[in-house]
Amino acid sequence: MTKKLFIKTYGCQMNVYDSARMADVLAPLGFRPVDAPEGADFIILNTCHIREKAAEKVYSELGRLHQLKKNRERNGDSLLIAVAGCVAQAEGTEIMRRAPFVDIVFGPQTYHRLPEMVARAARANGKGSRRRVLDTEFPVEPKFDFLPQAAAPQGPSAYLSVQEGCDKFCTFCVVPYTRGPEYSRPAADVLDEARRMVASGALEIVLLGQNVNAYHGAAPGRPGGEWGLGRLIRELAEIGGLRRIRYTTSHPKDMDADLIGAHGEVEKLMPYLHLPVQSGSDKVLAAMNRRYGGDDYRRIADRLREAREDIALATDFIVGFPGETDADFEATLRLADDIGFTQAYAFKFSPRPGTPAALMEGQVEDSMKASRLKILQDLLAARQLAYNVASVGAMMEVLFDRPGKRPGQLAGRSPYMQAVHVDPPHSGGDDAPARAGRADGPDAITGVIGSIARVRIVEAHGNSLKGALQGGAGPARIAAQAGPDQRICA
Ligand code: SAH
Ligand code: SF4
Ligand code: F3S
């Protein structure tokens, strides 16, 4: 009998990958994923602990699920509820105490054991005798060895975890505690999984790791040998049918020469890199335990641009770290301005329980964090808009992987990771794809989802581009091709 499984995912791409793998693990038990919690037999919240707000969301969602479970039980039905991911890892016992209606709590490293956990919880559930399960170990055996090979297809752009955990212990960050020590999967396993993904329709593979460029997986057929991420990418690029490779998230300290070189040499490696800098102040970076300074970061950016002149750099910043002065914040603004990020996320420092920075002296007032955040975000948004505007007129290959927001629209990503949409045919405007030579009706346009199509950029917004489908294919570099017919929609 099929049972309905609803997984709600919070946090980073690794959690998205993990949720897909949880569904794979549960498929042999008859669970089929559904899009809404109503009517589900099993609900998993796959949670994130990175900032206080992220963690808070879990408890409010649990309140709603409790209600759902009570309604079910009133009708004589049962509902299993599980909390997974980084909040589960960090606050497992607390969840068990605060939310007694939760049946299972498990961490990011134990989800291969889900069938046993479900069997244990389900045996008791609905019969009055509740048996609850808490599994937040860091097992010695890596979960990857126990996950099923038959994974459900993820679509044209697929996530593939290659590295997990972190040994860097930045003083603000919970990840080393929630994900555990750094681990790299053997290269042969990664290559096998990548081939299976391509065989089931993936055109793009996004390699994932909390420190993905610290990857050092066992080399195939060479006992004791290791491959770094640069080598892994070069080998993945040999897979026929795979068109694009990306990786995220990287640490500046681990950008080695081979990986930087790969950006210049591997055509399938997309010209985009998310490389979190966190701050432009050497003093703050040292207090964060980042182990590089602002100028080290500038040099890495220069080397990346020497390897691939059109590479788009994206980043993360934290404002209001303990001890951050006006001068430190100005150094951050200078760095942001110098590098010219094409996308960036800025966060207010959130003191996380158990991390050294939460206890540091010189905690910054929330009002100061808020005003610095606004100043930085305005600068970042202006640079992002200017970059997008410079794309107008360019021809780009866009991987269309989903319908757009409006009916009939298509949405995808440029090589530079910009969101690009094209309007349905006959929607008015000179750029309607029906007149652009490639597509000539609604069927033609839906057929574009799951493919890489050539697009002329016709309009720039702060967070996205509008394109018109074109015939033909081939690489395009934006800076050289920005046209005069630019339209700005901030
Ligand atoms: N491994 C990546 C970052 C992973 S966490 C790296 O080394 O850079 C994702 C982002 O969340 C971080 O880049 C950081 O900007 C932000 N972040 C992490 N902990 C935070 C905290 N305590 N407060 C605010 N932002 C935080
Ligand atoms: Fe967190 Fe990244 Fe630092 Fe690791 S390197 S502790 S994941 S911010
Ligand atoms: Fe959040 Fe855990 Fe990812 S804390 S960002 S879900 S590694």
Side-chain angles (χ1 to χ4, degrees):
M1 198 188 77
T2 59
K3 289 163 277 181
K4 294 180 185 145
L5 167 69
F6 175 68
I7 307 183
K8 182 158 182 173
T9 309
Y10 303 82
C12 61
Q13 293 100 326
M14 183 79 80
N15 262 13
V16 176
Y17 174 86
D18 288 345
S19 292
R21 303 302 285 158
M22 288 173 203
D24 293 338
V25 170
L26 291 169
L29 274 67
F31 284 102
R32 187 174 52 80
V34 292
D35 296 335
E38 292 75 23
D41 301 290
F42 186 15
I43 297 178
I44 303 177
L45 300 184
N46 194 10
T47 62
C48 172
H49 200 242
I50 203 80
R51 285 169 292 275
E52 196 179 351
K53 261 198 196 136
E56 271 170 7
K57 283 186 200 156
V58 176
Y59 289 102
S60 57
E61 184 65 25
L62 278 176
R64 277 192 289 274
L65 294 187
H66 188 196
Q67 205 48 51
L68 200 66
K69 184 164 178 148
K70 281 199 283 200
N71 294 345
R72 267 313 173 72
E73 287 174 348
R74 223 171 279 137
N75 297 334
D77 291 331
S78 65
L79 167 62
L80 270 183
I81 297 179
V83 181
C86 292
V87 179
Q89 189 65 45
E91 300 179 6
T93 326
E94 174 75 359
I95 295 170
M96 295 294 265
R97 192 184 60 76
R98 265 177 76 175
F101 54 91
V102 168
D103 302 283
I104 308 174
V105 173
F106 60 99
Q109 304 309 345
T110 53
Y111 62 76
H112 55 295
R113 300 179 187 162
L114 255 175
E116 301 152 49
M117 296 185 220
V118 171
R120 269 157 60 203
R123 260 200 302 275
N125 199 331
K127 291 184 192 158
S129 63
R130 299 272 321 267
R131 179 102 69 84
R132 303 170 74 210
V133 181
L134 172 69
D135 190 350
T136 49
E137 270 180 49
F138 290 124
V140 268
E141 79 280 1
K143 66 178 175 242
F144 295 102
D145 294 349
F146 298 87
L147 295 175
Q149 297 220 335
Q154 289 185 49
S157 177
Y159 290 136
L160 202 178
S161 269
V162 301
Q163 179 280 336
E164 203 173 343
C166 183
D167 294 338
K168 292 214 164 45
F169 291 93
C170 301
T171 53
F172 52 81
C173 184
V174 295
V175 170
Y177 312 97
T178 62
R179 291 275 166 175
E182 204 180 287
Y183 168 76
S184 293
R185 293 176 70 188
D189 294 3
V190 173
L191 290 169
D192 283 348
E193 189 167 340
R195 286 190 199 100
R196 285 195 298 271
M197 285 175 161
V198 173
S200 64
L203 296 172
E204 173 177 273
I205 289 182
V206 186
L207 305 174
L208 297 182
Q210 268 86 35
N211 261 287
V212 70
N213 59 342
Y215 177 83
H216 57 99
R222 202 158 55 84
E226 281 186 349
W227 284 1
L229 189 65
R231 175 71 190 271
L232 183 68
I233 287 170
R234 289 168 206 273
E235 302 287 338
L236 284 165
E238 299 298 317
I239 298 177
L242 178 61
R243 304 275 299 277
R244 292 179 161 195
I245 302 170
R246 301 182 185 276
Y247 60 96
T248 198
T249 294
S250 300
H251 192 288
K253 204 76 193 124
D254 295 316
M255 283 314 298
D256 66 24
D258 187 46
L259 182 56
I260 293 176
H263 278 279
E265 293 151 24
V266 180
E267 195 68 36
K268 290 182 183 179
L269 183 57
M270 289 294 100
Y272 167 87
L273 179 62
H274 184 91
L275 191 62
V277 64
Q278 313 300 358
S279 170
S281 152
D282 290 350
K283 185 194 89 190
V284 172
L285 286 167
M288 288 175 163
N289 190 31
R290 292 293 289 183
R291 291 177 261 180
Y292 56 83
D295 285 345
D296 299 321
Y297 190 92
R298 287 179 178 84
R299 265 192 298 278
I300 295 165
D302 288 346
R303 286 170 61 207
L304 281 160
R305 284 172 172 152
E306 276 160 31
R308 174 96 203 224
E309 54 157 3
D310 62 334
I311 194 164
L313 293 178
T315 203
D316 295 344
F317 286 103
I318 295 177
V319 298
F321 188 80
E324 185 187 72
T325 60
D326 286 346
D328 294 320
F329 179 60
E330 276 154 26
T332 293
L333 295 176
R334 268 198 307 281
L335 183 132
D337 200 39
D338 289 351
I339 303 284
F341 294 105
T342 64
Q343 287 180 38
Y345 303 89
F347 308 103
K348 289 195 272 186
F349 168 69
S350 171
R352 307 303 292 127
T355 62
L359 301 173
M360 282 180 185
E361 284 180 15
Q363 298 286 330
V364 175
E365 287 277 319
D366 192 64
S367 58
M368 177 64 82
K369 287 182 194 171
S371 65
R372 287 183 183 162
L373 184 69
K374 168 92 175 64
I375 294 167
L376 179 59
Q377 281 178 332
D378 286 350
L379 183 146
L380 296 168
R383 291 301 291 259
Q384 181 169 338
L385 178 64
Y387 180 75
N388 285 348
V389 167
S391 307
V392 175
M395 299 287 262
M396 291 192 197
E397 290 193 347
V398 174
L399 169 52
F400 287 102
D401 58 348
R402 59 190 185 279
K405 284 196 193 114
R406 282 197 276 127
Q409 259 187 359
L410 293 174
R413 294 271 169 193
S414 79
Y416 310 96
M417 206 58 188
Q418 296 148 294
V420 182
H421 66 270
V422 297
D423 276 341
H426 314 303
S427 61
D430 293 343
D431 43 7
R435 299 176 208 167
R438 171 166 178 135
D440 53 9
D443 290 345
I445 200 161
T446 33
V448 176
I449 292 193
S451 72
I452 294 177
R454 203 166 162 77
V455 157
R456 186 171 63 86
I457 304 303
V458 294
E459 214 172 277
H461 302 248
N463 285 316
S464 68
L465 301 173
K466 179 172 166 179
L469 288 173
Q470 310 286 298
R477 300 200 166 199
I478 68 167
Q481 297 192 20
D485 56 337
Q486 298 177 348
R487 268 198 270 163
I488 307 171
C489 305

